[in-house]
Amino acid sequence: MLNDDEYEKLKQSFIKSQRLFNKLGKVTRDVENIDYDESGLYQDDEDICHRHWMKLSSKIVDALSVDLEDFTIELLQNDTLDIKELSFNLKNSEQISKIKVDFSENDAISIKQIS
């Protein structure tokens, strides 16, 4: 578990990254709206969404790495791109903390510390 100071740094980092979470929410909505038909044309749209998701989530991880420099940040891959949640493992020499961030609402995030 993160101590109070570490959790506050985590929270502030996510607040600074709010616009990235908003954009990530838009990507997940775009994924939900892809028309999966037999033509196979949806693959291009899916690839574009996947690249955007990767770029945005990487920027969030990079910002978090700067603010929590004593931790190694591991972004856990979602099963599908339409999940409006990011999961992280934060590791340092003493502990591993699992964090989930729900960004299903625009301009709001919910942080859960699992362990």
Side-chain angles (χ1 to χ4, degrees):
M1 297 291 277
L2 298 175
N3 65 35
D4 290 342
D5 185 47
E6 293 164 339
Y7 183 79
E8 189 61 33
K9 287 179 183 179
L10 172 97
K11 185 172 84 171
Q12 290 304 315
S13 180
F14 287 151
I15 289 170
K16 289 188 286 187
S17 295
Q18 181 63 57
R19 69 178 181 78
L20 297 171
F21 282 108
N22 289 346
K23 289 180 180 182
L24 205 53
K26 182 185 179 314
V27 170
T28 60
R29 287 188 298 279
D30 289 347
V31 168
E32 292 170 345
N33 294 325
I34 291 176
D35 184 22
Y36 292 98
D37 58 15
E38 294 179 15
S39 70
L41 296 176
Y42 61 85
Q43 189 62 46
D44 288 341
D45 293 337
E46 197 173 74
D47 290 344
I48 289 169
C49 288
H50 185 265
R51 283 194 304 272
H52 287 181
W53 191 95
M54 291 300 294
K55 185 173 186 176
L56 292 166
S57 60
S58 293
K59 286 183 177 186
I60 292 168
V61 169
D62 291 346
L64 188 57
S65 294
V66 169
D67 292 330
L68 291 175
E69 56 194 27
D70 295 337
F71 286 84
T72 301
I73 293 57
E74 175 188 12
L75 175 64
L76 304 176
Q77 187 70 34
N78 290 344
D79 293 334
T80 62
L81 293 179
D82 60 349
I83 297 174
K84 294 174 177 69
E85 182 176 88
L86 292 180
S87 298
F88 303 90
N89 282 334
L90 308 178
K91 302 175 188 177
N92 70 5
S93 59
E94 303 168 11
Q95 64 190 356
I96 296 176
S97 298
K98 185 167 186 155
I99 305 292
K100 290 190 176 223
V101 181
D102 181 321
F103 55 91
S104 56
E105 295 182 36
N106 201 29
D107 291 329
I109 57 173
S110 173
I111 304 168
K112 296 176 195 163
Q113 186 170 216
I114 308 298
S115 61

